[in-house]
Amino acid sequence: MAGAQNGWGAKLNPGLIHCAITGYGDTGPKADLGAYDNVIQAASGIVAQSGGVKPGVSFIEYSTGYAAAFAIAAALVQRQQTGDCRL
C-alpha cells in the first residue's frame, strides 16, 4: 500500500508518501507471520509445480518490489495532479 501516511509523518509533512509491504496483510490469522520469497513460493504451490524444487529466481521478491514502485509512482502522480496522495 502506498499513499499518504496517517500517523505522525502526515502531521509533519502532509505530502509524505509511505509504502508498506506485508506478506499476509495487516490483519487476520497470518498477519504476524513472516513472508519471504521461499515461503510465498511454497505456500502458493509454485515449488510443487516446479517438481518440489524452488525456482532459481526470486521472482516473488522482484514482483513485490515492482508493485511497490508502481504504487509509489501512482501516489506521486496523484499528489502532483490533485494535491492528495492517498490511494
Side-chain angles (χ1 to χ4, degrees), residues 14-82:
L16 181 66
I17 294 174
H18 173 86
C19 180
I21 300 170
T22 65
Y24 296 103
D26 292 330
T27 60
K30 294 185 178 184
D32 293 332
L33 295 179
Y36 55 96
D37 195 82
N38 292 351
V39 171
I40 299 301
Q41 284 194 30
S44 66
I46 293 168
V47 173
Q49 290 179 351
S50 300
V53 179
K54 181 189 172 296
V57 177
S58 298
F59 63 89
I60 301 295
E61 300 288 344
Y62 296 141
S63 61
T64 301
Y66 289 137
F70 282 121
I72 292 167
L76 287 167
V77 170
Q78 184 171 347
R79 183 181 68 186
Q80 181 181 16
Q81 292 178 346
T82 68

